[in-house]
Amino acid sequence: MSTIDIPELALVALVGISGSGKSTFARRHFAPTQVLSSDAFRAMVADDENDQSASAEAFDVLHYVAGKRLRAGRLTVVDATNLQSHARAGLVRVAREHDVLPVAVVLDAPEPLCWERTQARADRTFGRQVLGRMHRDLRRSVGQLAREGFRKVHVLRGVEEIDAATIRYERLFNDRKELTGPFDIVGDVHGCRAELEALLTRLGWTLHRDPDGRPVDATHPDGRTAVFVGDLVDRGPDSPGVLRLVMGMVAAGHAICVPGNHEQKLLRKLRGRNVQVTHGLAETLAQLEQEDAAFVAEASTFIDGLVSHYVLDGGRLVVAHAGLKEEYQGRASGRVRAFALFGETTGETDEYGLPVRYPWARDYRGSAMVVYGHTPTPTPEWINNTICIDTGCVFGGTLTALRYPERDLVSVPAAKEYYAPARPLVPVGADGPERPGEALDLGDVTGRRHLDYGYGTLTVDAEQAAAALEVMSRFAVDPRALPWLPPTMAPCSTSTVDGFLEHPTQAFADFRSAGVDRVVCEEKHMGSRAVVLVCERAEDDRFGPVGGAVYTRTGRPFFGAPLDAALLARVRAAATRAGLWAELGTDWLLLDTELLPWSAKASGLIREQYASVGAAGRAALPAVLSALDQAAGRGVPVDELRTRIARRQGDLDRYTDAYRAYVRPSDGLDGVTLAPFVLLASAGTTHTGRDHGWHLALADRLHDADPEFFTRTRHRVVDLADEAAVAEATDWWLALTSDGGEGMVVKPYAGPAATDGRRRLLQPGIKCRGREYLRIIYGPEYTEPEQLAQLRNRSLGRKRGLALREHGLGLAALDRLAEGAPLWRRHELVFAILACESEPVDPRL
């Protein structure tokens, strides 16, 4: 029995003369969809599978379909004679274009048997001499296949061997999807053995040393696996020591490693190739001269066995020295290996004489996280689900590791600058080192984009991006003044309490189920969300011409320049009187607030959407009741109908009272108040990690500084294990809503960035709205039993998912603001929040 090893992804060419059994072999071993038959394609283009004049067009189509399958990662088998070198060259070209291995399976059946089979087919009319010529071509072809580029050649001789053959699929060397981690992925070491030891120790690894005290292995108590991104050698003080430790870890199964371009150059030199001894190679060669020949030979064998890249964790993680585009991941070709080792250059050189690298990460849209090194940068930075962790240790920077799947970055500083860099360390970024920090590019936000923002991942569809661009480009404030947008807020789970759609019982239960033991219940102000970015000095124009900005939850200016400037002046003065500038060490503040009354901003909405309903009902229902009274006076049985209409009249009155409660006169800022509840950020820091007690205390200080302009946010702190505290908060909510209040927002007391036991973000707040406020949202008669029963079937999953995504994006944007990231890096996240708002979700939730 012959076993044929075929890569799971390959282009397989069956080679054999007519009648050798290629189609039978294909049917026996491959799925029908995997097999592309030249006869079938001739029939497609010429309605006759034997029309040899159509062969050129048929193979054009076959190659096209083969390319589509290979691009999608599907095994493809070509059933044709494939006896001519030019025909095989076309298949090899298609395989190389899609970076898969071409494989040839030769069916060498006896010519007499093939002739017998051919004669038995009525559609085969050629003579014996044609078959003889085919057989001679087959003999010549067998010795040429490997030279033509086929990476595997299997020859089956005779009927018995063909019939007994079995197919065995083998994974490519780079396919290690079964390894799920957890991983500690280490950036370019470049001979910095001491720093590597310090980094592994900080990551929790235990080093194991040989009798001479040299580290030769390391183990982690939690069974983690180290992954090295290459460039272990050159420039640093102890390349042999780094090799000895990494080789030992790999041999023991505690690590895996991909090659860097410096290892490849060293290997070529060790094998006697003519290479330039530059870029630190001289130092490595001198260090290796102090080692015995057996170690050098072992190191050479180790480097030679390294695989260009690895696909790990079910395809969710890719590690390559210089990174890897999506279409190259899990593929095998010289082109893939070259990209993994060197990246892609533009063909130009910079002022330091170094190649200008193409910013492939900017265009990356793959679902797999790509971790790489090669190009040193002062700090790692996520770009479209990729991260470079070469932080220039040998140049005096740091040695960095990424913990996966936690996405934590751990670094240790270099002891010194061991090697002077050809150019200063600069951030690589998605647009290269020369991009101005405040520059924006339309390409940053348009089209379908994949974002890994540290708190999760998100794919923004092109349609969502287009909707956000329409709002952002036409209506939004200056991007410099738009560092954050508020996330949408999900309601609590639907209540089972009689007569209530939302009730504190469910809000508290929601957080208990998420592992939260302490919450804060904040009065929900019925106003308009306003984000206030205010500078200490009015003439500070970093965020706008009036010393800051005031904008809505979709980024639009709140009132307009004159009123916004006046509002900022009130906030600025209150912050000064409260002593916040000096206390926080800042010259700007970013506040999340509610501006009251609702009618100050939403008068048009109230008039057109709510008051019109009330006016129509008040005009119609009294007339209906009068007509029913007259009918009853004539003895018509209308009592049941009149009762129902009277109930509708009562619901309408309550509806009118509900929206009127949020209307009060205002003229400019006269009659307007501001209710701050979170200080999001100030210069150099975010405050999302502080508990809500801190935030509310700071808001109270602003109220004390200007009680006419600032409104307090009444609240209760509740221990969810304390039944009395829970009951008191519920009673407070009932009193609040019965007096016309909207309701409350329940938040984890730990703060806006609170997470659960598995470090996942919690909902930043769950709204719990009162019966009469919900009457505005769901209509005057929503409390009727049949309507309430129907509303209890509402689905909250999409709304909650949207709230968490927008919350995570906002936290990431604030982190980048505090870090001083370039404007485009902050803006892409704010833009994504706005893009999420185009997702179809019931607006009443």
Side-chain angles (χ1 to χ4, degrees), residues 645-668:
I645 297 300
R647 191 166 60 243
R648 293 183 65 185
Q649 176 73 63
D651 288 338
L652 184 73
D653 291 341
R654 284 185 286 273
Y655 172 82
T656 303
D657 292 341
Y659 71 75
R660 283 178 174 172
Y662 306 113
V663 177
R664 67 172 186 251
S666 62
D667 182 13

Side-chain angles (χ1 to χ4, degrees), residues 235 279 352 354 376 392 394-397 417-426:
R235 296 174 173 151
H279 303 300
Y352 303 99
L354 299 176
V394 76
F395 301 126
E417 182 187 275
Y418 298 103
Y419 198 91
R423 63 181 171 209
L425 289 182
V426 292

Side-chain angles (χ1 to χ4, degrees), residues 514-820:
V516 176
D517 54 12
R518 197 179 191 204
V519 298
V520 59
C521 303
E522 297 180 6
E523 172 188 8
K524 192 174 192 308
H525 300 287
M526 184 49 180
S528 302
R529 196 76 169 264
V531 182
V532 178
L533 177 56
V534 59
C535 296
E536 184 179 11
R537 295 179 298 107
E539 59 272 20
D540 190 335
D541 62 356
R542 281 176 296 171
F543 304 115
V546 293
V550 186
Y551 56 88
T552 69
R553 67 177 309 271
T554 56
R556 304 174 189 232
F558 205 90
F559 291 119
L563 281 182
D564 286 355
L567 188 150
L568 290 170
R570 294 287 294 267
V571 176
R572 183 180 299 114
T576 301
R577 285 194 291 271
L580 298 185
W581 306 114
E583 179 181 325
L584 298 172
T586 185
D587 57 359
W588 59 266
L589 301 170
L590 181 64
L591 293 159
D592 191 11
T593 77
E594 196 84 5
L595 189 139
L596 308 170
W598 185 34
S599 54
K601 185 65 177 173
S603 58
L605 175 68
I606 296 169
R607 183 171 53 252
E608 295 168 11
Q609 184 165 321
Y610 302 113
S612 58
V613 174
R618 288 192 301 275
L621 292 180
V624 173
L625 288 172
S626 177
L628 290 173
D629 288 340
Q630 294 175 25
R634 297 195 302 270
V636 180
V638 293
D639 291 350
E640 182 179 348
L641 177 58
R642 193 191 186 289
T643 299
R644 189 163 67 249
I645 297 300
R647 191 166 60 243
R648 293 183 65 185
Q649 176 73 63
D651 288 338
L652 184 73
D653 291 341
R654 284 185 286 273
Y655 172 82
T656 303
D657 292 341
Y659 71 75
R660 283 178 174 172
Y662 306 113
V663 177
R664 67 172 186 251
S666 62
D667 182 13
L669 292 186
D670 292 338
V672 168
T673 63
L674 198 66
F677 41 86
V678 171
L679 173 60
L680 295 161
S682 56
T685 188
T686 68
H687 300 290
T688 55
R690 297 179 183 266
D691 63 55
H692 281 290
W694 182 87
H695 289 282
L696 291 169
L698 186 141
D700 285 346
R701 289 169 60 185
L702 289 173
H703 170 268
D704 294 340
D706 188 350
E708 291 185 0
F709 184 67
F710 287 95
T711 293
R712 290 187 189 274
T713 298
R714 293 176 287 177
H715 60 277
R716 297 288 189 276
V717 177
V718 181
D719 183 345
L720 294 180
D722 185 341
E723 294 184 5
V726 169
E728 193 276 333
T730 302
D731 291 340
W732 177 67
W733 177 84
L734 289 169
L736 196 68
T737 55
S738 65
D739 290 340
E742 178 182 347
M744 67 183 182
V745 179
V746 185
K747 303 176 179 179
Y749 184 78
T755 58
D756 65 10
R758 288 182 285 180
R759 305 184 65 195
R760 298 178 305 184
L761 283 176
L762 293 167
Q763 291 285 349
I766 294 175
K767 56 189 176 184
C768 183
R769 298 166 290 184
R771 276 170 51 95
E772 296 312 310
Y773 173 78
L774 287 175
R775 198 178 299 280
I776 303 175
I777 302 301
Y778 287 105
E781 302 167 53
Y782 94 100
T783 51
E784 292 296 317
E786 61 277 7
Q787 289 199 32
L788 202 55
Q790 186 176 0
L791 287 173
R792 284 200 169 105
N793 293 323
R794 61 184 186 165
S795 175
L796 302 178
R798 177 170 290 191
K799 180 76 168 182
R800 288 175 171 174
L802 183 63
L804 277 177
R805 287 193 297 275
E806 293 182 3
H807 176 47
L809 287 165
L811 291 176
L814 293 173
D815 290 342
R816 292 183 184 179
L817 176 67
E819 293 164 2

Side-chain angles (χ1 to χ4, degrees), residues 279-323:
H279 303 300
L281 179 57
E283 287 79 357
T284 300
L285 294 173
Q287 293 161 12
L288 287 174
E289 287 179 358
Q290 307 304 313
E291 303 289 334
D292 57 47
F295 174 80
V296 176
E298 183 183 358
S300 178
T301 301
F302 170 75
I303 295 171
D304 188 43
L306 297 178
V307 179
S308 67
H309 71 282
Y310 282 116
V311 181
L312 305 165
D313 192 20
R316 287 178 283 273
L317 174 65
V318 172
V319 177
H321 175 63

Side-chain angles (χ1 to χ4, degrees), residues 207-217 244:
L207 294 167
H208 304 284
R209 302 179 184 273
D210 65 10
D212 295 325
R214 300 174 300 188
V216 293
D217 192 10
R244 183 176 289 107

